[in-house]
C-alpha cells in the first residue's frame, strides 16, 4: 500500500466531505495532525462555535428571559438532544435523556437499580473495568452497607486471553446468577476495543433475575445500538468521545420504558427494585414552577433529571447530533468496518513487534484498535513519543497498549496508512 493508493480509497469514500465539518488540530508548522484519538476526545464540530455563541448572545440580550425566549429556550433545552440520542442508541424518545456526566448518571442508576436482597447482593463487572465505573460500583456497595470486597465480582479473561467472550459471562451467571443483583458491562471495552452483544448479555442477566446495565462511553456514536430491543435495563454515557460534544460535555442516560410506564407519577419508586433520587428538573414541566412539595414525575427517563441542564455544555452536542443525522449511523458504521479493517490489515505486517489485541471480527469491535507494543512499557512509551513528534495523535493505556481509532466522520484511509507506516518505522529503530 502506498500513500496514493490510500488517497484513492479516500477519494472513493462517499462520507469524505464530513471531515471538513470538524476543526483539525495542527502541528507547530501549521500542518494538520493525524488525529486518531476520537475514542478519548472527539474533534470539535465547526458548527459548535455558532451554537455556543448563540447561547451567549441570548444570555447577554435576554438574561433570565432566555429560559423561555432564547432562540432555543433553555427550560426544555434537553429536548433538542433527545431524538438524536434515541436514534444512536436504538431507543424510544422517552427512554433517553441528556443530563449530568457519565459517573454521576451511573450513581443515579445504581441508586434505582441496585438493591441487596438476601443472598442476591453482588455486582458483576469486567476485570480491568474503567476506574471510574469500578469506583462508582464499590462506593455504591459500601454506601448500601454491603462489603465491596465480598460483593464485587470482576470477571477476567481466560489465562493468556485479552478479551472475554459473551459465553463466559453466560457461564458465570449460570453458576453464580442467584447471588448477583446487577450486571454492569461496557458496550465497547475501553482498553481492548472489544464490542459486546448487549442483547445476549441482557438475556443472560434476566434469565437469572439480574438487572443489566451498560456503559456506552466507547460505543455511542461508534456503533449503532438497539438498547430497547436488547432489553437493557439502563445505560449511561458521556458525549465527548465519538459524540464530539467537547471536554466534559453533558452525558446521557437510558432507562427502558418497561420501568417507567407503570410507575406512579407521585412516588419515588423509580424502577425495579429501587427508588429514584429526584430533583426539580425531573418534575413534569407543566407544573414544575408551581414549586409544590409534591413530586409529579415527568414521563419516562426525564424523571431522573435532577438539575436544570448546562446549556453551554449541551449546545455543541446539538451540532454534533445534526452531523450524525446527516451522515447516518448505518453509513458511518459501513465505512468504519472498512476503515478499521484496512488499518488492521496494515498493522498485521508489524507483528510480532506490534500486536492488535482487539477482536478481528467486525461484529466484535467498533472503530478502535488496541495495539500491544512488544518490548515493555519503556519501549511503548518511546514509540508513542515518536508518533507524537511526527504529529500523529493516539493514546496509551498501561502497561503496553496504544489505542488508535480511525473515526469514520473525520478520518480516512490515508490517516490509517500514515499511522501504520510511521509505527512500522518507529518499531524498527
Ligand atoms: C468507560 C468509561 N467509563 C466512565 C468514564 C468516566 O466518564 P465521566 O468523567 O464523564 O464520568 C469514562 C471516561 O472516559 C470511560 O471511558
Amino acid at each position: 500500500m502506498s500513500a496514493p493508493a490510500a488517497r484513492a480509497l479516500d477519494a472513493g469514500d462517499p462520507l469524505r466531505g464530513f471531515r471538513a465539518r470538524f476543526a483539525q488540530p495542527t502541528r507547530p508548522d501549521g500542518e494538520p495532525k493525524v488525529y486518531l484519538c476520537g475514542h478519548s476526545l472527539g474533534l470539535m464540530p465547526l458548527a459548535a462555535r455558532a451554537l455556543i455563541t448563540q447561547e451567549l448572545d441570548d444570555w447577554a440580550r435576554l438574561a433570565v428571559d432566555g429560559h423561555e425566549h432564547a432562540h432555543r429556550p433553555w427550560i426544555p433545552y434537553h429536548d433538542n438532544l433527545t431524538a438524536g440520542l434515541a436514534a444512536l442508541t436504538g431507543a424510544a424518545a422517552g427512554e433517553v435523556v441528556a443530563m449530568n456526566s457519565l459517573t454521576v448518571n451511573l450513581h443515579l442508576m445504581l441508586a434505582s437499580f441496585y438493591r441487596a436482597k438476601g443472598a442476591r447482593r453482588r455486582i458483576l463487572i469486567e476485570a480491568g473495568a474503567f476506574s471510574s465505573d469500578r469506583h462508582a460500583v464499590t462506593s455504591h456497595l459500601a454506601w448500601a452497607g454491603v462489603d465491596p470486597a465480598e460483593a464485587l465480582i470482576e470477571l477476567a479473561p481466560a489465562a493468556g486471553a485479552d478479551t472475554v467472550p459473551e459465553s463466559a459471562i453466560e457461564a458465570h451467571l449460570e453458576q453464580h446468577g442467584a447471588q448477583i443483583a446487577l450486571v454492569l458491562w461496557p458496550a465497547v471495552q475501553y482498553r481492548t476495543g472489544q464490542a459486546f452483544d448487549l442483547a445476549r448479555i441482557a438475556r443472560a442477566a434476566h434469565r437469572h433475575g439480574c438487572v443489566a446495565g451498560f456503559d456506552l462511553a466507547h460505543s455511542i456514536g461508534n456503533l449503532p445500538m438497539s438498547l430497547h430491543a436488547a432489553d437493557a435495563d439502563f445505560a449511561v454515557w458521556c458525549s465527548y468521545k465519538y459524540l464530539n460534544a467537547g471536554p466534559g460535555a453533558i452525558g446521557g442516560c437510558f432507562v427502558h420504558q418497561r420501568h417507567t410506564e407503570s410507575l406512579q407519577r407521585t412516588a419515588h419508586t423509580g424502577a425495579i427494585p429501587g427508588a429514584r433520587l429526584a430533583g426539580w428538573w425531573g418534575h413534569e414541566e407543566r407544573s414544575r414552577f408551581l414549586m409544590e412539595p409534591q413530586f409529579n414525575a415527568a414521563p419516562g427517563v426525564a424523571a431522573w433529571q435532577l438539575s436544570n441542564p448546562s446549556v453551554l455544555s449541551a449546545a455543541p452536542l446539538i451540532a454534533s447530533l445534526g452531523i450524525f443525522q446527516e451522515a447516518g449511523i448505518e453509513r458511518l458504521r459501513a465505512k468504519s468496518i472498512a476503515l478499521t479493517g484496512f488499518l488492521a490489515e496494515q498493522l498485521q505486517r508489524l507483528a510480532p513487534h506490534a500486536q492488535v489485541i482487539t477482536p478481528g471480527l467486525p461484529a466484535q469491535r467498533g472503530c478502535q484498535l488496541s495495539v500491544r507494543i512488544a518490548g515493555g512499557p519503556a519501549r511503548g512509551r518511546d514509540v508513542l513519543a515518536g508518533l507524537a513528534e511526527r504529529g500523529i495523535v493516539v493514546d496509551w493505556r498501561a502497561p503496553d497498549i496504544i489505542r488508535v481509532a480511525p473515526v469514520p466522520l473525520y478520518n480516512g484511509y490515508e490517516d490509517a496508512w500514515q499511522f501504520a507506516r510511521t509505527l512500522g518505522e518507529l518499531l524498527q529503530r
Side-chain angles (χ1 to χ4, degrees):
M1 179 62 66
S2 62
R7 264 180 232 134
L9 289 173
D10 283 332
D13 166 17
L15 300 177
R16 66 187 176 283
F18 284 101
R19 184 186 184 98
R21 311 274 288 273
F22 292 87
Q24 301 294 327
T26 49
R27 305 189 308 206
D29 65 2
E31 287 299 308
K33 289 185 175 177
V34 175
Y35 192 81
L36 294 163
C37 213
H39 56 275
S40 179
L41 185 74
L43 292 182
M44 184 189 110
L46 295 174
R49 194 183 296 277
L51 278 149
I52 291 184
T53 304
Q54 173 89 66
E55 300 312 335
L56 292 175
D57 287 348
D58 284 349
W59 178 22
R61 190 171 55 91
L62 298 167
V64 72
D65 290 339
H67 285 301
E68 281 169 2
H69 301 296
H71 183 76
R72 291 184 176 78
W74 299 329
I75 288 176
Y77 203 81
H78 64 274
D79 290 345
N80 293 301
L81 304 165
T82 304
L85 293 174
L88 292 179
T89 52
E95 291 178 316
V96 289
V97 67
M99 62 180 195
N100 312 315
S101 49
L102 190 157
T103 309
V104 173
N105 290 338
L106 180 52
H107 275 296
L108 293 177
M109 290 296 102
L110 291 172
S112 284
F113 284 94
Y114 173 73
R115 276 294 174 284
K117 200 167 171 202
R120 192 186 285 282
R121 52 206 294 115
R122 308 184 80 179
I123 296 183
L124 175 66
I125 64 172
E126 88 273 26
F130 193 88
S131 58
S132 197
D133 292 23
R134 193 178 189 283
H135 300 325
V137 168
T138 51
S139 63
H140 203 91
L141 285 166
W143 180 78
V146 177
D147 179 6
E150 166 249 320
L152 181 70
I153 311 172
E154 297 171 274
L155 188 61
D162 287 297
T163 54
V164 179
E166 286 89 355
S167 57
I169 307 169
E170 288 167 338
H172 189 89
L173 286 165
E174 197 65 50
Q175 249 197 314
H176 305 286
Q179 303 167 7
I180 296 173
L182 187 145
V183 178
L184 175 68
W185 212 260
V188 171
Q189 217 280 345
Y190 83 98
R191 190 194 304 269
T192 64
Q194 180 185 8
F196 292 91
D197 180 341
L198 305 191
R200 193 168 161 189
I201 296 172
R203 215 165 30 245
H206 293 162
R207 194 159 49 239
H208 298 284
C210 320
V211 166
F214 296 99
D215 177 335
L216 311 186
H218 291 264
S219 60
I220 191 164
N222 178 6
L223 298 161
M225 279 175 294
S226 314
L227 291 182
H228 179 88
D231 211 20
D233 292 293
F234 72 84
V236 291
W237 59 88
C238 52
S239 308
Y240 40 79
K241 301 177 185 296
Y242 299 105
L243 289 191
N244 313 308
I250 194 165
C253 196
F254 164 93
V255 173
H256 200 285
Q257 72 189 19
R258 80 192 132 76
H259 295 305
T260 55
E261 257 167 2
S262 56
L263 290 178
Q264 268 206 30
R265 303 284 283 279
T266 51
H268 291 305
T269 46
I272 53 150
R276 179 181 49 221
L277 299 179
W280 73 321
W281 228 252
H283 192 281
E284 62 174 10
E285 197 181 318
R286 183 165 61 87
S287 56
R288 183 185 295 139
F289 284 88
L290 298 179
M291 306 293 191
E292 286 173 345
Q294 176 62 55
F295 183 76
N296 278 325
V301 67
W304 269 263
Q305 296 173 101
L306 299 181
S307 306
N308 69 108
S310 162
V311 164
L312 295 179
S313 93
L317 186 54
I318 298 179
S320 179
L321 291 174
I323 299 175
F324 272 99
Q325 195 189 358
E326 276 181 64
I329 187 70
E330 296 293 344
R331 286 205 304 159
L332 287 166
R333 175 63 174 155
K335 172 176 170 184
S336 179
I337 289 172
L339 183 56
T340 291
F342 169 85
L343 175 59
E345 241 176 71
Q346 305 299 307
L347 293 175
Q348 252 171 20
R349 295 170 205 167
L350 307 183
H353 307 290
Q355 182 214 345
V356 175
I357 64 159
T358 309
L361 289 175
Q364 293 175 5
R365 67 186 182 201
C367 66
Q368 174 190 325
L369 294 180
S370 300
V371 188
R372 174 166 289 138
I373 305 297
R379 175 133 195 266
R381 286 251 175 224
D382 204 37
V383 167
L384 188 78
L387 289 164
E389 273 165 30
R390 288 158 182 75
I392 298 179
V393 186
V394 292
D395 72 2
W396 177 254
R397 282 294 170 265
D400 54 2
I401 300 291
I402 284 179
R403 299 188 302 177
V404 51
V407 172
L409 263 179
Y410 51 73
N411 287 126
Y413 293 87
E414 195 181 354
D415 296 327
W417 178 81
Q418 280 214 26
F419 166 74
R421 191 199 54 161
T422 311
L423 180 62
E425 284 170 10
L426 290 166
L427 289 170
Q428 277 177 8
R429 286 201 304 199

